[in-house]
Amino acid sequence: MDRTEFEKRYIAARRAAIALDFSHLNDSQREAVMTTQGPLLLLAGAGSGKTTVLMNRIVNLLKYGSGSDSDHVSDSATEADLLLLEEYLKKKSTERTEQSSITPLSNLNSQLSAQAAGLCVVDPVEPWRIIAITFTNKAAGEMKERLERMLGQGSEDIWASTFHSACARFLRRDIPRLGRDRAFAIYDTSDSASLMKRILRELDLEERNFPHKTVLTYISRSKDEMISADEFLSSAEKTGDVRRKIIGRAYVEYEKRMISSNSLDFDDLILLTVRLFMEHPDILEHYQKRFKYVLVDEYQDTNNLQYMLASALAGGHGNICVVGDDDQSIYKFRGATIENILSFEKQFKGARLIRLEQNYRSTGLILDAANDVIKNNYGRKGKNLWTDSGPGEIPELHVTSDERSEAQFIADAIIKSVTEGRNWSEHAILYRMNAQSNQFETAFKRAGIPYRVYGGTGFFDRAEIKDMLAYLCVIHNPYDDVRLLRVINNPPRGIGNTTVGRLADISAEQGLPVYEILRESQTHDSLKGSAGRLHQFADMIDNLRELAATARLDDLYDALLSRTGYIRMLEEKGSDEELARIENVKELKTNIISFMNESDGSLFDFLSETALYTDLDRDDHSADRVLMMTMHSAKGLEFDTVFIVGAEEGVFPGMRVIGEPGELEEERRLCYVAMTRAKRRLCFTSARQRMLFGRTAAASPSRFVREISSGNIEIFEAPNRFGGYGFEFTNRPAFESGPPRPDRTQREAIRFNPHNSEFRIPNSEFKKGDAVEHKAFGRGTITDVSPAGSDALIEVSFENEGVKRMLLNSASRYMKRL
């Protein structure tokens, strides 16, 4: 045969033989693994096995070099070699008809397969010439572990690392070329924060006017744009922007301190590496020659400097492979730019695009619903997730009357699911803002459902909530020294730590409460200088105590916020973190109003019940818990059942993004991420009216839910005498009716029988010593019943689940007496 025909057949046989090694992958995955040359964008949908593709791509490079993607045939190749490859393929084809699986050529022990494998190698690559970059140490660690399992010895020579750790290695070698010492220290986020706080104090700038986090954000964004401190300050002085000039001076001082201490922050690691490559072409050329293949994971999350770094490294051989999903770009607030992935084919000429659309996580109807939502975004490259695992359960929207009904519905649904054999940890509640966890924590603690707030702090464990409850405790009982000392200078009132220490010392010496020492502070020499401020604080507490005797609890709380100036303090700081804290402080009012709606109880009763919430799960150390988290925190995770809560206009999407097309598209991507976390069941919840931050407002379902076609979602609505949202509803009831709430007489009986060992709620079937059976926890015995605000706390020792503490009104929904 002529040479052209020979090479054509040889290349086809070689590719087919290598493909057998990756027969466990689907067609798109295999194409991605075998595409080795030039720029490649892998548009990897949620749950499409992108990490598997990355790992197998590295395996292919190390075993066969560019054999699967090269049109080159060695001059030494003979027709005998071609016949051997074709004979091998014929043998495998015969075996394929006789068995369901193919033994890849790299695993065959026969002489034929060994010879065939040798003929498939083209331009083999050494492990140290591959660099794979990801974002987190955890992801980099998992990558190294998988490569070691797949490749064994030699895998450790592959550069599998984060952007920051890779840059640290570059700089340890060559930073002297920038005039810096290679023995530099690396500042983490807390180190940078401490330094900036000190600089701001020295510049006589108050945190409330120039929050250190805000200043550091300006600096980080400037570094990403390669704007130096001097350039930033010069630009601010030209424009006359006073605020930017002050930030510029802080930036200049920050850089001066970092250089003098020979330290780099996280942004510096990448910035100085890019500078090193730009200013010293010989260093860049060294690494371009070294790294023949560059792989970047989570490319949709890269910023400008990370793009510049990756493109610089790939400039030598041009073999850059990036993996990402434009539909999962949700970190704009961290500096990520979706343009990097959208413009990849323009930035890297001749780039190939492969879409990974087969999903291995979710059922068909969940994916159809997610596709319905995300297709409404214009700023995307486009793909359509699908699965061959069947349609599964149809996603649901449950419309509840209010936020408490929403939480109760989910508690009921989770307990029902657990009784069917699933673990608590197979259920996740995803919300847009942390304050939304409040109602679910309350409902779960009442019902004894174990839970964990993932990547955050439980509502009642947050510092600002502890502060507010401490104030209320002091109003109720001014002799509560612990709570009083917590809030005496919070917000700052000029009562410093020294004065607080003196107060505590005098209190201990005289055996009197701190509050009494406050009242007579002018009689103590060590307190005379602070006596005026101490009296002002005591007077404020006294005035609030007088108000508490006559005012409604919600009015008392409003007065507390106003007179203490707590929210004003947070507003003056102005950072995103402080805004979230303001939301939490306001959300506590929701608890107060909810308590008032179901109880005539006093401030004491409210504090008693709230203290219980912080204590109910103290004895539960089980790792099997329902997970609650923000949608941002859920990225990269998966669960059997996902509840997306608060699916309402103004909540999700939030009011601040409505009317802002770019922001709304990011919010829609966030919805897409949340939906694709679900494997088997996806459930949205929406309330007709919602109390959030102490204010009740009517609500309408999120536009994201409305974007799901009617065949891909089923809608359930709780009875509503005022009418519904205009959906077509099924007749299936959304809720099980629980036992009636105790009336006032029953609540009074609960409240005023605290010392009765046989205490029980009137007309209730439960009492101490009863044998019971719980839907989720099984059989047990009630070991204690005690009053708890407007309810009763029961302690049950279960045969298989240990001791659980629950509020009786909620527990009785799922428990019967034996």
Side-chain angles (χ1 to χ4, degrees), residues 402-404 552-554 589-601 689 691 696 741-742 747 790:
D402 57 24
E403 72 285 347
R404 289 174 63 82
R552 289 162 45 99
L553 284 179
D554 55 343
K589 187 175 178 181
T590 299
N591 294 67
I592 293 172
I593 295 174
S594 297
F595 174 80
M596 293 168 58
N597 288 339
E598 64 179 38
S599 168
D600 299 320
Q689 65 176 31
M691 185 187 296
T696 300
R741 296 186 184 277
R747 291 197 299 269
S790 58

Side-chain angles (χ1 to χ4, degrees), residues 160-174:
S161 63
T162 64
F163 276 101
H164 294 124
S165 60
C167 288
R169 290 181 70 176
F170 296 144
L171 293 174
R172 292 290 183 201
R173 178 181 183 268
D174 291 311

Side-chain angles (χ1 to χ4, degrees), residues 753-788:
N753 284 274
H755 303 296
N756 183 353
S757 62
E758 293 299 316
F759 169 80
R760 60 183 293 177
I761 295 181
N763 304 321
S764 169
E765 61 179 309
F766 299 107
K767 67 180 186 300
K768 183 177 179 180
D770 283 348
V772 294
E773 184 167 15
H774 190 282
K775 286 184 179 179
F777 302 131
R779 292 175 176 258
T781 302
I782 298 177
T783 56
D784 189 42
V785 183
S786 58

Side-chain angles (χ1 to χ4, degrees), residues 235-269:
S235 173
E237 289 174 339
K238 288 178 182 177
T239 60
D241 188 322
V242 176
R243 183 173 178 80
R244 287 181 67 88
K245 281 196 289 185
I246 293 172
I247 293 173
R249 288 200 292 271
Y251 186 4
V252 168
E253 188 61 29
Y254 178 81
E255 285 301 284
K256 190 183 300 181
R257 303 283 181 91
M258 294 293 286
I259 292 172
S260 66
S261 64
N262 193 31
S263 302
L264 306 181
D265 62 21
F266 287 152
D267 292 315
D268 289 330
L269 290 172

